[in-house]
Each structure stands twice: as structure tokens, then as C-alpha cells.
Amino acid sequence: MSDLRRTAPAVARNRDPILDVLRDVLPASGTVLEVASGTGEHAIHFARGLPHLDWQPSDPDAEARASIEAWREAESVPNLLAPLEIDAAAAEWPVSHADALVCINMIHISPWAATEGLMAAAGRLLTTGEPLVLYGPYRREGHAIEPSNAAFDEDLKRRNPAWGLRLLDEVARQADARGFALERVIEMPANNLTVVFRKR
Ligand SMILES: C[S@@+](CC[C@H](N)C(=O)[O-])C[C@H]1O[C@@H](n2cnc3c(N)ncnc32)[C@H](O)[C@@H]1O
């Protein structure tokens, strides 16, 4: 039987720094909905590292969901749920409840409508005090863009003109419009940021 598990090399480098932040900002119990789970390696790692939470992975891509499911079968982590098909840009999501949302490395590599949809869904699903946690590279007003991020931005735009590094203030404006306050911006390795919003 073929092995559907995929790997993304960046995950091995960023999963522990991200997990450290998640331990600080996620609730003590409940369900975390991960949007754009990709290979599923983060989902495995975070579900294992946060056994008091249920981890709900998702991705709109069928091959990504097959990879997540293959990792899940191979590793048997009891609090890791079966992946859902969620397109962040969709007006309706097949989820009625979550206690936190996590979205890693999607906002720059999807059309802006995905960010708008993510924020709208976060506004519908989360209640006061619950967090929305983003991770990825951003542009920031008043900060010179790092050369590696400038090159990445150009490459993304070449691949798809609707992609590219977003201005953090614009993402924060979307979040604010859906009832979220910007709580923390944490500098991460390789010029990435973890951005924590919390529902007012
Ligand atoms: C660069 S990968 C990141 C995957 C994973 N989070 C990681 O960090 O390894 C981008 C992911 O975003 C997903 N994606 C793209 N457009 C999306 C959308 N509109 N809604 C949800 N996910 C989307 C892709 O299917 C892909 O799995």
C-alpha cells in the first residue's frame, strides 16, 4: 500500500517554537480547530504535546487531508480528530464549535479572501477570551522587510499574483472588525511571527 504521509521540511524547524507559544496561549481544555493543516505533521506534534486539548485538523486539499489521515493512522494520537475539508474563504464551515483557532503559514499563500473568511469564521466560532493564533511571515509598517522575506514575497507573487506577504496591520484590521484584539506579536525563528488575537 502506498504511504500517503507527506513531510514539509520547515515543520521540523518550527514545530517546537510554535508549540511553546501554544502552551502559553491556548485554553486549558476544549477543541482547537487548525485551518490549513497541510501535511498534518503539526497536528500530530501539537496533539501529542497538548494532550488536554482535542486537535481538529483541516485542509481544503484532498491530498493534504489524505496525508493528515495517514499520519493519524500511523501515530495513533488519541486526541487528534479526523481532518475536515475547510476552505477558509467559504461563507460556511462544517464546524459548529471551537475553543481556539490556529492557522500556520496560510495567509501569505492564499488569496486575501481566505484571510477574510478566516476572520469571519473566527468571529462566528469563538467567544470572549478565546484565541486566534496565526503563524507566518508578515510585512510590518515601520519595519524594513528582511531580505529573505522580500525574496519569498517576490517568489510567491510570481507563482500567483493573489499571494504574497500581508501587512500585519491589515490582518489586524480584519481581526478587529470581527471582534478580536491583538494580544501579542512574537518574533519567531527565520523571520516569522506568531500573532495572537483574542476575542473581546
Ligand atoms: C504552505 S502550506 C502550510 C501547511 C501547514 N500549515 C504547515 O505549516 O506546514 C499552505 C496550506 O494552506 C492551504 N490552503 C490554501 N488555501 C486555503 C484556503 N483557502 N483555506 C484553507 N487552507 C488553504 C493549502 O492547502 C496548504 O495546505
Side-chain angles (χ1 to χ4, degrees), residues 8 11 14 34-39 42 59-61 64 86-89 104-106 108-111 114:
V11 175
N14 65 27
E34 184 189 12
V35 178
S37 301
T39 63
H42 280 137
D59 204 281
D61 180 71
I86 296 180
D87 174 352
I104 299 170
N105 282 330
M106 180 202 78
H108 59 283
I109 198 158
S110 55

Side-chain angles (χ1 to χ4, degrees), residues 4 11 21 28 40 49 58 78 146 168 193 195:
L4 299 174
V11 175
V21 177
S58 72
E146 303 82 359
L168 181 57
L193 300 177
V195 183

Side-chain angles (χ1 to χ4, degrees), residues 55-68:
W55 198 269
Q56 173 64 75
S58 72
D59 204 281
D61 180 71
E63 286 181 22
R65 291 196 306 280
S67 174
I68 299 164

Side-chain angles (χ1 to χ4, degrees), residues 112-183:
W112 181 241
T115 299
E116 292 175 321
L118 175 71
M119 295 302 176
R124 288 194 304 274
L125 289 168
L126 301 183
T127 57
T128 300
E130 293 181 334
L132 164 64
V133 184
L134 309 178
Y135 171 95
Y138 289 87
R139 293 185 292 116
R140 282 202 279 181
E141 265 164 21
H143 288 67
I145 189 166
E146 303 82 359
S148 62
N149 276 353
F152 187 36
D153 187 40
E154 272 178 33
D155 179 57
L156 287 166
K157 287 176 174 149
R158 232 187 338 263
R159 288 159 65 193
N160 186 330
W163 295 356
L165 268 59
R166 309 298 178 193
L167 198 57
L168 181 57
D169 301 78
E170 281 176 11
V171 175
R173 261 194 294 280
Q174 284 289 320
D176 178 66
R178 301 296 180 172
F180 288 85
L182 177 56
E183 182 179 271

